[in-house]
Amino acid sequence: MQASITRYNDRVNSLMPGAKIIKLIGYTRGNKDYQKAKRAALKWKDSKSLNDVEINDWIEQGGWIGAVIPEGRYLIDVDNELLGGLLKDLLEGENIHHHAIKTPKGYHFIFKESQKVTQYQGYINRLGIQTDSRKSEAGYEVFPTINTEGRFIVTESLEPLDEPPQYLYKVWNAQKTPSPMAYPYKTSGSRDGDFYDLARRLLTCGVSKKDTIESLELAYEYFVPYKDDFPLSAIKEKVESAYKKINEGNSSPTKRIINFEYREKDIGKNIVIPKPFKVSGNDTLFEEKVDKDGNVTKKLVSRKTPYITKEFNNIERPQVLYEIEWAEQKRIVKEVVPASTIAVKKELLELSEKGLSVNDNNVKKIITYFDQYLLINNICHHYAVERLGHIKDKFIHPLLSEDIEIMAIDYGEKQIIEGFKIRGTVDSWKKGVFEHIKQSPKAVIMVLASFASVIIKDLKVQPFIVDLSGTTSQGKTTTLKIAASVWGNDGLISEWNATKVSIERKASYLNSFPLFLDDTRKADERILKDVVYQFSGGRSKGRGSLKGSQREYTWNNILLSTGEVSLNEYAKNQGGAAARIIPLVDEPLPKSQDNIVKLYEGMENNYGAAGIGFLEIWMNHKKELISEYHKFRNYYIDKAKGNEVLNRLAGYYAAIHFTGSILKNKMGFEIDLKVIADLFDDIVSENKSTDKPMQFLEEILTDLDSSRQDIFYDYLPQVHKAIFKKGQLYLMPAYLTRFLGIEEKATRREWLKRGLTVGKQEKGSYVDYRQVKHKGKNFRVIPLNMEYVLELGFDFEELTVN
């Protein structure tokens, strides 16, 4: 029986991968109504996808199936068999990759989904054909089966699908104005007049002259069989004639052109206000209606008229945004909002906080106004990004990326953008700022890390942290300001007094530029520990939403941090923290008051230029320079001598040292690279966290040394942590579990491998535990190598009770 089942899931997936399959009423239970047959049998948005057994069973009952339009697919419906067939010939003739389904009344065409198209019903496209459309998750397709008479697949592309070509874009509402075209033109008929009317209509609705000519020439080639006395050159003549007429006819009753003298400079072109809306002289939006007797009535819609002046297409992901303007007491307010803002009541109402006159009473009217406004106005298109740094094959700097708009929708992002300023030159920054710190290696490391942040993605280095810690008033904040001056002013510096989410958002927005966070004592200790791990992963925490999962933020930069206590201490019970942080401890700057004063004077007059100078050199020479980085990395890996933590730090430190060599050799910076290299050895010797297993052992011995009453000598203690017998110290596994937590297994494995504990063979495995009998009781314990215990300065023999 299983062999006779038709595999409809495979058929659906070949056209619409991942589509949910639902039950449609079809001709079950005696239904004979075609329109009713296409309806869902259940609430299709809530129902689960059918399997092949369920599908075949439902079809046997006379039911139909529907395929919900999946993500990545877009459907255009031509509810006319003749016009659908003509459009099919055009798409095949122009080699547009698509799928096509023949329906009893017309054709359905399936394309790759595009951010440039929307869902609509009953609109005329640029070819003059009336169509409907369906976007992903917003509708379903009646899928052809053995009992859907007149419905079958006629075209299945073997190539990846194309997006809908622009000549299929909607233009105007067919319910208000039908198409003037009478395809196909098999005789001379009304070809001249119809093509002129279509050209005039397209131009009036904001389609460019070039796109109008392209659309009409395609219609001419595929939809006009009789071309006698109607040459191709006639198409351009019709378009030019319509274009000339429209420019002469700004007083035409089909539209009204509104000019505002105080806005001409900002807009740079005329605006078409859609009927039935009109704008008064003081920029108030009205709705004007004419009754059957010719009486005109006006109804106030909004005290302020909003205009859409720009459309932005996000180059990183499918997203459309609009710039909205309105007049506010002799000034122009500009807001950039996602496309959903002008279409969703709740989101549009939020603009009332910015001063737009929108409320519960008029919000639906304004949404209608925006929809019609976009239909008949030719909005300027721009590319945009919603963050900085590396975006696909481009690098975005707020002061260099003139052809791409940088979105800063939230106030915090606007503050970041405002921080990228330039004052002075590279040479004046070197003289006024860097000259005063070049003899201070730890301050130089912070500054080099600030430069290095923008290149670590090219070097394939993961995000990491440079942490400057020490007691109060040692110049930590000043050093952070110096590092920030590489790219801009103090506006780039944030405090640690922030939530994890806000730190994620800032890291993602900066993306490749360094994140500056000052003073760890102002932060919640739990946040500090989490941020260390989250930041170095380069991806925000996954979060759910009502519809699935929220978009995760990513970044590839360096975090420069300051505080009185090292970040390693906040995460000391988690071994991986040390492999994510380059720790710089104690005074970064000399205690010269005169030097500090000169530093602040230098930073006040010089910032931002050095970073741009470095960035330009890197972009021009990175192909030849990247190979040099690996020499530095190998040098520091040799210094790591197999230590896993130091091996990771080697890559980070090499990126900083490598950056110093570029600044020295390409930009003339006076940097003592040998001192930078030697500082790595100092960091290793000062930072016990780089040898986490040994650090854990020392911490455990310290704990036992301070609580010897918990060691079983002659009497079993109340809290049992260890046993001391005949000069040997044994650790209780339960104590290790409490002390080490999730690090227990990894730490014990490393101890055994390095001989810090005494192992033995047991059942073919080498283990770190054994059975010990002490004072008449048997215990499973972990024996320590007493040579290391003594080497660390601990002696537990003294309190042995005889």
Side-chain angles (χ1 to χ4, degrees):
M1 180 176 180
Q2 194 70 21
S4 65
I5 292 178
T6 303
R7 299 186 179 278
Y8 281 108
N9 267 284
D10 291 343
R11 293 187 183 180
V12 171
N13 272 286
S14 67
L15 267 64
M16 294 182 282
K20 180 169 70 173
I21 302 176
I22 60 173
K23 289 182 179 181
L24 304 183
I25 293 173
Y27 292 134
T28 57
R29 300 177 184 175
N31 175 54
K32 295 181 180 180
D33 184 342
Y34 175 73
Q35 294 301 325
K36 183 177 180 180
K38 295 192 294 182
R39 297 177 191 167
L42 302 168
K43 292 183 178 180
W44 64 270
K45 290 187 178 181
D46 300 328
S47 61
K48 294 182 179 179
S49 186
L50 303 175
N51 59 39
D52 285 329
V53 174
E54 293 168 328
I55 293 171
N56 280 265
D57 180 61
W58 183 244
I59 290 173
E60 284 182 10
Q61 299 176 48
W64 295 357
I65 60 171
V68 178
I69 309 299
E71 184 176 351
R73 290 291 182 265
Y74 183 79
L75 185 145
I76 291 179
D77 176 4
V78 180
D79 203 9
N80 181 295
E81 188 170 1
L82 176 59
L83 295 179
L86 291 173
L87 182 55
K88 174 178 174 292
D89 292 341
L90 185 155
L91 293 171
E92 292 176 355
E94 294 299 308
N95 199 29
I96 305 298
H97 300 304
H98 68 285
H99 305 314
I101 295 176
K102 177 69 178 66
T103 72
K105 292 186 177 182
Y107 288 82
H108 289 176
F109 301 96
I110 300 171
F111 299 94
K112 177 183 176 183
E113 189 173 24
S114 167
Q115 63 182 11
K116 299 176 182 177
V117 291
T118 57
Q119 181 156 309
Y120 55 84
Q121 187 171 6
Y123 271 77
I124 307 298
N125 63 25
R126 297 181 184 182
L127 297 171
I129 296 176
Q130 181 175 331
T131 60
D132 303 333
S133 75
R134 292 169 222 165
K135 290 195 71 173
S136 61
E137 307 300 329
Y140 58 81
E141 163 71 356
V142 179
F143 199 81
T145 60
I146 58 174
N147 59 353
T148 54
E149 186 177 351
R151 186 181 297 271
F152 47 88
I153 299 169
V154 293
T155 302
E156 184 170 358
S157 175
L158 300 179
E159 300 292 333
L161 297 189
D162 292 323
E163 294 182 359
Q166 64 178 7
Y167 44 81
L168 296 187
Y169 291 2
K170 70 172 187 176
V171 184
W172 76 85
N173 192 331
Q175 295 176 357
K176 296 182 179 180
T177 307
S179 173
M181 309 310 288
Y183 302 129
Y185 292 95
K186 295 182 178 180
T187 60
S188 58
S190 58
R191 296 167 306 178
D192 294 64
D194 291 354
F195 271 86
Y196 171 81
D197 286 344
L198 179 58
R200 181 183 57 80
R201 187 66 185 169
L202 294 179
L203 293 167
T204 300
C205 291
V207 180
S208 69
K209 186 196 297 185
K210 177 183 176 184
D211 290 342
T212 299
I213 292 173
E214 178 192 1
S215 300
L216 267 61
E217 286 183 342
L218 285 170
Y220 172 88
E221 180 178 352
Y222 290 95
F223 304 161
V224 182
Y226 188 77
K227 296 180 171 63
D228 293 354
D229 68 9
F230 189 57
L232 179 62
S233 59
I235 297 299
K236 287 187 178 180
E237 292 174 5
K238 302 301 176 189
V239 175
E240 291 293 345
S241 178
Y243 184 77
K244 182 178 180 181
K245 181 66 176 177
I246 288 172
N247 285 341
E248 291 174 353
N250 282 345
S251 59
S252 168
T254 60
K255 63 175 184 174
R256 177 183 172 191
I257 305 296
I258 303 294
N259 290 310
F260 298 96
E261 289 186 8
Y262 66 91
R263 301 186 79 254
E264 281 182 352
K265 183 178 179 181
D266 297 315
I267 299 285
K269 66 177 183 177
N270 293 326
I271 298 170
V272 181
I273 301 299
K275 286 186 175 183
F277 299 99
K278 291 199 173 185
V279 179
S280 69
N282 60 356
D283 218 22
T284 303
L285 185 65
F286 286 91
E287 185 178 31
E288 184 176 279
K289 293 185 178 180
V290 181
D291 62 20
K292 60 182 180 179
D293 297 324
N295 299 316
V296 178
T297 59
K298 288 185 177 182
K299 184 178 179 181
L300 177 66
V301 175
S302 174
R303 291 179 286 105
K304 302 167 185 176
T305 301
Y307 304 90
I308 300 174
T309 54
K310 294 179 183 177
E311 177 182 313
F312 299 105
N313 291 285
N314 193 328
I315 66 175
E316 189 172 14
R317 64 187 180 95
Q319 184 190 31
V320 176
L321 304 101
Y322 294 110
E323 181 183 78
I324 301 175
E325 294 186 5
W326 65 87
E328 186 78 56
Q329 295 181 351
K330 296 183 180 181
R331 67 185 180 92
I332 300 298
V333 178
K334 297 184 180 183
E335 288 292 329
V336 176
V337 298
S340 60
T341 299
I342 64 172
V344 178
K345 176 182 176 181
K346 181 181 178 182
E347 294 184 29
L348 184 57
L349 285 170
E350 292 178 2
L351 285 182
S352 62
E353 297 180 359
K354 307 292 178 68
L356 182 62
S357 179
V358 57
N359 52 58
D360 286 330
N361 295 324
N362 68 2
V363 64
K364 290 184 178 180
K365 289 287 185 185
I366 294 180
I367 289 175
T368 301
Y369 162 76
F370 277 134
D371 186 54
Q372 296 179 3
Y373 184 104
L374 289 172
L375 177 64
I376 64 175
N377 281 284
N378 192 14
I379 308 299
C380 294
H381 291 259
H382 300 265
Y383 287 107
V385 292
E386 55 187 345
R387 56 189 188 144
L388 309 175
H390 288 89
I391 306 292
K392 291 192 174 180
D393 59 344
K394 300 180 182 296
F395 191 93
I396 309 299
H397 186 292
L399 303 177
L400 299 179
S401 306
E402 296 179 357
D403 57 335
I404 296 176
E405 194 80 16
I406 301 172
M407 299 291 100
I409 295 174
D410 292 332
Y411 184 71
E413 294 166 350
K414 291 178 181 177
Q415 282 185 310
I416 292 175
I417 291 294
E418 290 169 358
F420 284 90
K421 301 291 184 184
I422 292 181
R423 194 167 185 179
T425 64
V426 175
D427 288 336
S428 65
W429 185 84
K430 283 195 293 185
K431 184 176 180 180
V433 180
F434 192 78
E435 183 70 23
H436 300 289
I437 68 162
K438 66 181 183 181
Q439 302 300 328
S440 305
K442 293 175 182 178
V444 171
I445 289 288
M446 290 286 280
V447 170
L448 296 185
S450 183
F451 281 106
S453 183
V454 298
I455 70 171
I456 62 169
K457 181 177 177 65
D458 292 323
L459 300 179
K460 294 181 171 54
V461 173
Q462 291 292 314
F464 62 94
I465 301 169
V466 179
D467 178 46
L468 178 61
S469 61
T471 54
T472 306
S473 302
Q474 289 189 336
K476 298 185 298 296
T477 299
T478 300
T479 302
L480 196 65
K481 289 181 177 180
I482 297 168
S485 73
V486 169
W487 300 107
N489 57 34
D490 290 356
L492 296 176
I493 298 177
S494 303
E495 292 193 337
W496 267 106
N497 182 23
T499 65
K500 287 187 289 185
V501 173
S502 71
I503 292 174
E504 286 177 3
R505 298 283 173 86
K506 284 183 179 179
S508 175
Y509 192 76
L510 288 161
N511 189 19
S512 301
F513 291 97
L515 173 61
F516 303 97
L517 294 178
D518 187 32
D519 201 351
T520 53
R521 66 179 176 179
K522 294 181 180 179
D524 186 320
E525 290 188 13
R526 294 169 296 182
I527 288 178
L528 293 171
K529 179 179 67 176
D530 291 342
V531 168
V532 168
Y533 278 83
Q534 200 72 47
F535 181 85
S536 60
R539 183 177 292 272
S540 66
K541 179 180 179 181
R543 297 177 176 89
S545 68
L546 293 176
K547 296 181 180 180
S549 299
Q550 294 181 18
R551 183 168 63 94
E552 294 181 7
Y553 297 92
T554 60
W555 53 85
N556 211 134
N557 52 3
I558 299 174
L559 191 163
L560 300 180
S561 168
T562 66
E564 293 188 7
V565 179
S566 171
L567 283 175
N568 270 323
E569 293 301 312
Y570 291 107
K572 63 182 179 182
N573 289 329
Q574 293 176 288
R580 294 162 165 82
I581 302 168
I582 293 179
L584 303 172
V585 184
D586 291 336
E587 297 179 79
L589 297 170
K591 291 183 177 179
S592 168
Q593 187 64 30
D594 181 59
N595 189 61
I596 295 297
V597 170
K598 289 180 179 178
L599 259 176
Y600 273 91
E601 288 178 355
M603 285 190 289
E604 186 177 343
N605 297 300
N606 299 280
Y607 47 77
I612 289 178
F614 173 76
L615 197 56
E616 290 175 342
I617 286 177
W618 176 253
M619 292 302 176
N620 291 329
H621 301 281
K622 68 178 180 180
K623 288 185 179 179
E624 63 194 68
L625 290 172
I626 284 177
S627 60
E628 292 293 316
Y629 162 71
H630 297 288
K631 297 178 182 178
F632 288 89
R633 188 173 183 275
N634 292 335
Y635 171 77
Y636 284 105
I637 286 178
D638 289 343
K639 281 178 170 284
K641 297 178 181 178
N643 184 298
E644 293 180 9
V645 173
L646 292 181
N647 274 343
R648 285 188 63 175
L649 291 181
Y652 305 153
Y653 205 88
I656 293 174
H657 192 166
F658 170 63
T659 301
S661 73
I662 296 174
L663 292 171
K664 181 176 183 178
N665 299 325
K666 297 287 186 180
M667 298 181 69
F669 278 70
E670 292 184 22
I671 303 174
D672 189 340
L673 296 179
K674 184 179 183 307
V675 172
I676 300 300
D678 292 343
L679 187 58
F680 181 78
D681 297 325
D682 295 339
I683 291 172
V684 172
S685 62
E686 292 175 2
N687 183 22
K688 294 180 181 179
S689 298
T690 57
D691 190 349
K692 207 66 182 178
M694 186 63 79
Q695 182 189 5
F696 278 140
L697 178 61
E698 187 172 0
E699 288 175 357
I700 285 170
L701 294 174
T702 300
D703 180 67
L704 291 174
D705 194 39
S706 63
S707 58
R708 295 201 178 199
Q709 70 276 7
D710 298 330
I711 301 176
F712 191 178
Y713 287 99
D714 287 333
Y715 301 100
L716 182 65
Q718 188 173 359
V719 179
H720 191 187
K721 297 181 178 178
I723 295 172
F724 189 83
K725 179 181 180 180
K726 296 181 180 180
Q728 176 65 51
L729 184 64
Y730 303 93
L731 302 180
M732 301 301 296
Y735 167 58
L736 283 184
T737 299
R738 292 194 304 272
F739 195 97
L740 296 175
I742 61 173
E743 299 281 350
E744 180 201 2
K745 288 184 179 180
T747 302
R748 285 176 60 177
R749 191 185 309 116
E750 189 65 20
W751 281 353
L752 183 61
K753 185 169 68 174
R754 293 169 56 177
L756 300 180
T757 52
V758 181
K760 72 166 190 171
Q761 290 291 138
E762 183 174 290
K763 297 180 181 180
S765 299
Y766 193 63
V767 297
D768 66 346
Y769 57 82
R770 64 186 59 189
Q771 292 289 330
V772 167
K773 188 172 184 179
H774 186 56
K775 303 299 180 183
K777 296 180 182 292
N778 283 320
F779 299 93
R780 174 180 277 195
V781 293
I782 300 166
L784 292 178
N785 185 330
M786 295 308 291
E787 290 183 8
Y788 286 100
V789 175
L790 295 173
E791 185 180 312
L792 290 170
F794 294 92
D795 182 2
F796 293 92
E797 188 79 43
E798 298 175 3
L799 293 184
T800 303
V801 179
N802 296 319

